[in-house]
Short mmCIF file of all heavy atoms in Angstrom, two decimals:
data_model
loop_
_atom_site.label_atom_id
_atom_site.label_comp_id
_atom_site.label_asym_id
_atom_site.label_seq_id
_atom_site.Cartn_x
_atom_site.Cartn_y
_atom_site.Cartn_z
N ALA A 1 -15.15 11.20 -13.63
CA ALA A 1 -15.70 10.67 -12.39
C ALA A 1 -14.71 10.92 -11.31
O ALA A 1 -13.44 10.81 -11.48
CB ALA A 1 -15.93 9.14 -12.56
N THR A 2 -15.21 11.29 -10.10
CA THR A 2 -14.32 11.64 -9.00
C THR A 2 -14.79 10.98 -7.76
O THR A 2 -15.88 10.59 -7.53
CB THR A 2 -14.32 13.18 -8.82
OG1 THR A 2 -15.66 13.61 -8.54
CG2 THR A 2 -13.72 13.90 -10.01
N TRP A 3 -13.81 10.90 -6.81
CA TRP A 3 -14.15 10.53 -5.45
C TRP A 3 -14.78 11.68 -4.75
O TRP A 3 -14.33 12.77 -4.85
CB TRP A 3 -12.86 10.07 -4.67
CG TRP A 3 -12.31 8.71 -5.10
CD1 TRP A 3 -11.43 8.53 -6.16
CD2 TRP A 3 -12.68 7.55 -4.49
NE1 TRP A 3 -11.23 7.15 -6.22
CE2 TRP A 3 -11.95 6.54 -5.24
CE3 TRP A 3 -13.51 7.07 -3.49
CZ2 TRP A 3 -12.03 5.16 -4.97
CZ3 TRP A 3 -13.57 5.82 -3.21
CH2 TRP A 3 -12.85 4.80 -3.90
N PRO A 4 -15.88 11.44 -3.99
CA PRO A 4 -16.60 12.59 -3.29
C PRO A 4 -15.89 13.03 -2.04
O PRO A 4 -16.17 14.08 -1.52
CB PRO A 4 -17.94 11.93 -3.08
CG PRO A 4 -17.65 10.51 -2.87
CD PRO A 4 -16.69 10.22 -3.88
N ALA A 5 -14.96 12.18 -1.56
CA ALA A 5 -14.23 12.47 -0.39
C ALA A 5 -12.89 11.79 -0.44
O ALA A 5 -12.52 11.27 -1.52
CB ALA A 5 -15.02 12.09 0.84
N ALA A 6 -12.20 11.70 0.60
CA ALA A 6 -10.88 11.09 0.68
C ALA A 6 -10.99 9.61 0.35
O ALA A 6 -12.03 8.95 0.64
CB ALA A 6 -10.22 11.29 2.02
N ILE A 7 -10.00 9.09 -0.26
CA ILE A 7 -9.89 7.57 -0.49
C ILE A 7 -9.20 7.00 0.72
O ILE A 7 -8.08 7.22 1.03
CB ILE A 7 -9.01 7.28 -1.75
CG1 ILE A 7 -9.57 8.00 -3.00
CG2 ILE A 7 -8.96 5.81 -1.99
CD1 ILE A 7 -8.61 7.92 -4.20
N HIS A 8 -9.91 6.12 1.43
CA HIS A 8 -9.35 5.42 2.57
C HIS A 8 -9.07 3.97 2.14
O HIS A 8 -10.00 3.20 1.79
CB HIS A 8 -10.37 5.46 3.76
CG HIS A 8 -10.42 6.82 4.42
ND1 HIS A 8 -9.68 7.10 5.52
CD2 HIS A 8 -11.17 7.86 4.14
CE1 HIS A 8 -9.99 8.38 5.84
NE2 HIS A 8 -10.83 8.82 5.02
N TRP A 9 -7.79 3.61 2.13
CA TRP A 9 -7.43 2.29 1.61
C TRP A 9 -6.67 1.45 2.65
O TRP A 9 -6.14 2.01 3.58
CB TRP A 9 -6.63 2.42 0.32
CG TRP A 9 -5.20 3.05 0.60
CD1 TRP A 9 -4.89 4.35 0.69
CD2 TRP A 9 -3.96 2.37 0.73
NE1 TRP A 9 -3.58 4.54 0.94
CE2 TRP A 9 -3.02 3.38 0.98
CE3 TRP A 9 -3.62 1.06 0.73
CZ2 TRP A 9 -1.63 3.08 1.09
CZ3 TRP A 9 -2.24 0.72 0.93
CH2 TRP A 9 -1.25 1.69 1.11
N ARG A 10 -6.65 0.19 2.49
CA ARG A 10 -5.95 -0.74 3.35
C ARG A 10 -5.02 -1.61 2.47
O ARG A 10 -5.22 -1.84 1.31
CB ARG A 10 -6.86 -1.57 4.18
CG ARG A 10 -7.67 -0.75 5.20
CD ARG A 10 -8.57 -1.64 6.04
NE ARG A 10 -9.33 -0.84 7.01
CZ ARG A 10 -8.78 -0.54 8.28
NH1 ARG A 10 -7.61 -0.94 8.59
NH2 ARG A 10 -9.57 0.20 9.10
N TYR A 11 -4.07 -2.13 3.14
CA TYR A 11 -3.00 -3.05 2.49
C TYR A 11 -3.24 -4.51 2.93
O TYR A 11 -3.42 -4.80 4.07
CB TYR A 11 -1.64 -2.62 2.84
CG TYR A 11 -0.48 -3.43 2.32
CD1 TYR A 11 -0.18 -3.55 1.00
CD2 TYR A 11 0.16 -4.27 3.18
CE1 TYR A 11 0.79 -4.40 0.51
CE2 TYR A 11 1.25 -5.13 2.75
CZ TYR A 11 1.50 -5.16 1.45
OH TYR A 11 2.53 -6.02 0.99
N ASN A 12 -3.21 -5.45 1.89
CA ASN A 12 -3.22 -6.85 2.12
C ASN A 12 -1.90 -7.43 1.71
O ASN A 12 -1.59 -7.41 0.50
CB ASN A 12 -4.41 -7.47 1.41
CG ASN A 12 -4.61 -8.97 1.77
OD1 ASN A 12 -3.66 -9.67 1.95
ND2 ASN A 12 -5.88 -9.36 1.81
N HIS A 13 -1.17 -8.00 2.66
CA HIS A 13 0.17 -8.50 2.33
C HIS A 13 0.16 -10.03 1.79
O HIS A 13 1.22 -10.49 1.43
CB HIS A 13 1.03 -8.44 3.59
CG HIS A 13 2.52 -8.61 3.36
ND1 HIS A 13 3.23 -7.81 2.58
CD2 HIS A 13 3.35 -9.55 3.75
CE1 HIS A 13 4.51 -8.12 2.52
NE2 HIS A 13 4.60 -9.24 3.30
N ALA A 14 -1.00 -10.64 1.79
CA ALA A 14 -1.05 -12.00 1.30
C ALA A 14 -0.49 -12.12 -0.14
O ALA A 14 -0.84 -11.28 -0.95
CB ALA A 14 -2.53 -12.51 1.39
N ASN A 15 0.24 -13.15 -0.42
CA ASN A 15 0.79 -13.42 -1.71
C ASN A 15 1.88 -12.54 -2.14
O ASN A 15 2.36 -12.57 -3.31
CB ASN A 15 -0.26 -13.47 -2.81
CG ASN A 15 -1.43 -14.40 -2.51
OD1 ASN A 15 -1.23 -15.54 -2.14
ND2 ASN A 15 -2.67 -13.85 -2.65
N ALA A 16 2.43 -11.72 -1.17
CA ALA A 16 3.55 -10.85 -1.53
C ALA A 16 4.80 -11.65 -1.92
O ALA A 16 4.98 -12.80 -1.44
CB ALA A 16 3.89 -9.97 -0.35
N PRO A 17 5.67 -11.16 -2.78
CA PRO A 17 6.85 -11.91 -3.21
C PRO A 17 7.83 -12.02 -2.01
O PRO A 17 7.78 -11.23 -1.06
CB PRO A 17 7.45 -10.98 -4.27
CG PRO A 17 6.96 -9.69 -4.03
CD PRO A 17 5.57 -9.84 -3.45
N SER A 18 8.69 -13.03 -2.16
CA SER A 18 9.57 -13.37 -1.01
C SER A 18 10.45 -12.20 -0.72
O SER A 18 10.97 -12.06 0.41
CB SER A 18 10.41 -14.59 -1.42
OG SER A 18 11.19 -14.35 -2.65
N GLN A 19 10.74 -11.33 -1.73
CA GLN A 19 11.59 -10.13 -1.45
C GLN A 19 11.08 -9.25 -0.39
O GLN A 19 11.82 -8.42 0.22
CB GLN A 19 11.85 -9.38 -2.73
CG GLN A 19 12.76 -10.09 -3.77
CD GLN A 19 11.98 -11.07 -4.68
OE1 GLN A 19 10.79 -11.38 -4.29
NE2 GLN A 19 12.52 -11.47 -5.70
N PHE A 20 9.77 -9.28 -0.13
CA PHE A 20 9.15 -8.44 0.88
C PHE A 20 8.66 -9.19 2.11
O PHE A 20 8.02 -8.67 2.99
CB PHE A 20 7.94 -7.64 0.25
CG PHE A 20 8.33 -6.66 -0.74
CD1 PHE A 20 8.23 -6.85 -2.05
CD2 PHE A 20 8.91 -5.41 -0.33
CE1 PHE A 20 8.56 -5.84 -2.98
CE2 PHE A 20 9.33 -4.45 -1.20
CZ PHE A 20 9.14 -4.65 -2.56
N SER A 21 9.05 -10.50 2.18
CA SER A 21 8.64 -11.25 3.33
C SER A 21 9.11 -10.66 4.68
O SER A 21 8.35 -10.64 5.68
CB SER A 21 9.21 -12.73 3.20
OG SER A 21 8.58 -13.35 2.05
N ALA A 22 10.35 -10.19 4.63
CA ALA A 22 10.88 -9.61 5.93
C ALA A 22 10.88 -8.03 5.82
O ALA A 22 11.43 -7.45 6.68
CB ALA A 22 12.30 -10.09 6.11
N ASN A 23 10.23 -7.54 4.80
CA ASN A 23 10.15 -6.08 4.65
C ASN A 23 8.79 -5.57 4.19
O ASN A 23 8.64 -4.86 3.27
CB ASN A 23 11.19 -5.68 3.63
CG ASN A 23 11.43 -4.14 3.61
OD1 ASN A 23 11.15 -3.44 4.59
ND2 ASN A 23 11.85 -3.64 2.49
N LYS A 24 7.82 -6.09 4.97
CA LYS A 24 6.44 -5.65 4.62
C LYS A 24 6.26 -4.15 4.72
O LYS A 24 5.57 -3.50 3.87
CB LYS A 24 5.46 -6.34 5.60
CG LYS A 24 4.00 -5.96 5.41
CD LYS A 24 3.02 -6.79 6.20
CE LYS A 24 3.21 -6.75 7.66
NZ LYS A 24 2.23 -7.50 8.46
N ASN A 25 6.85 -3.55 5.78
CA ASN A 25 6.70 -2.12 5.92
C ASN A 25 7.33 -1.32 4.66
O ASN A 25 6.85 -0.31 4.35
CB ASN A 25 7.35 -1.62 7.19
CG ASN A 25 7.09 -0.19 7.49
OD1 ASN A 25 5.93 0.17 7.62
ND2 ASN A 25 8.12 0.64 7.56
N GLY A 26 8.40 -1.95 4.11
CA GLY A 26 8.98 -1.31 2.96
C GLY A 26 7.97 -1.21 1.76
O GLY A 26 7.93 -0.23 1.08
N ALA A 27 7.21 -2.29 1.56
CA ALA A 27 6.27 -2.30 0.48
C ALA A 27 5.16 -1.23 0.83
O ALA A 27 4.71 -0.49 -0.13
CB ALA A 27 5.60 -3.63 0.31
N ILE A 28 4.69 -1.24 2.06
CA ILE A 28 3.62 -0.23 2.42
C ILE A 28 4.11 1.14 2.26
O ILE A 28 3.43 2.02 1.69
CB ILE A 28 3.20 -0.51 3.89
CG1 ILE A 28 2.54 -1.87 4.05
CG2 ILE A 28 2.29 0.62 4.36
CD1 ILE A 28 2.25 -2.29 5.49
N GLN A 29 5.33 1.50 2.61
CA GLN A 29 5.83 2.81 2.50
C GLN A 29 5.98 3.26 1.04
O GLN A 29 5.79 4.41 0.65
CB GLN A 29 7.15 2.98 3.29
CG GLN A 29 7.03 2.89 4.79
CD GLN A 29 6.06 3.83 5.31
OE1 GLN A 29 6.06 5.02 5.00
NE2 GLN A 29 5.17 3.39 6.19
N GLN A 30 6.30 2.27 0.17
CA GLN A 30 6.42 2.63 -1.28
C GLN A 30 5.03 2.98 -1.80
O GLN A 30 4.89 3.88 -2.65
CB GLN A 30 7.03 1.47 -2.02
CG GLN A 30 8.53 1.40 -1.91
CD GLN A 30 9.24 2.62 -2.52
OE1 GLN A 30 8.76 3.19 -3.49
NE2 GLN A 30 10.33 3.02 -1.97
N ILE A 31 4.00 2.22 -1.42
CA ILE A 31 2.62 2.49 -1.88
C ILE A 31 2.14 3.83 -1.36
O ILE A 31 1.55 4.58 -2.12
CB ILE A 31 1.72 1.35 -1.47
CG1 ILE A 31 2.17 0.05 -1.99
CG2 ILE A 31 0.26 1.67 -1.90
CD1 ILE A 31 1.50 -1.24 -1.46
N ILE A 32 2.44 4.08 -0.10
CA ILE A 32 2.01 5.42 0.52
C ILE A 32 2.75 6.55 -0.22
O ILE A 32 2.14 7.61 -0.60
CB ILE A 32 2.37 5.45 1.96
CG1 ILE A 32 1.48 4.48 2.75
CG2 ILE A 32 2.26 6.85 2.52
CD1 ILE A 32 1.85 4.34 4.19
N ALA A 33 4.06 6.42 -0.52
CA ALA A 33 4.81 7.42 -1.23
C ALA A 33 4.31 7.65 -2.65
O ALA A 33 4.28 8.80 -3.12
CB ALA A 33 6.30 7.03 -1.31
N ALA A 34 3.88 6.56 -3.35
CA ALA A 34 3.30 6.65 -4.66
C ALA A 34 2.06 7.51 -4.65
O ALA A 34 1.71 8.40 -5.48
CB ALA A 34 3.05 5.33 -5.24
N ALA A 35 1.20 7.28 -3.66
CA ALA A 35 -0.05 8.06 -3.53
C ALA A 35 0.18 9.50 -3.21
O ALA A 35 -0.47 10.35 -3.71
CB ALA A 35 -0.95 7.41 -2.40
N ALA A 36 1.22 9.76 -2.45
CA ALA A 36 1.58 11.11 -1.98
C ALA A 36 1.97 11.97 -3.20
O ALA A 36 1.81 13.24 -3.09
CB ALA A 36 2.67 11.12 -0.96
N LYS A 37 2.47 11.37 -4.25
CA LYS A 37 2.76 12.18 -5.46
C LYS A 37 1.55 12.95 -5.98
O LYS A 37 1.61 14.04 -6.51
CB LYS A 37 3.43 11.29 -6.48
CG LYS A 37 4.71 10.63 -6.00
CD LYS A 37 5.22 9.57 -7.00
CE LYS A 37 6.47 8.90 -6.52
NZ LYS A 37 6.89 7.82 -7.42
#
């Protein structure tokens, strides 16, 4: 099964661990980097 086009996704920061409370962008960038692989 495949996606017929690009996957467009969004990020929800609710319930993130305290380690990312002041570094939301750090979590987002890690997720983006994982997808880029």
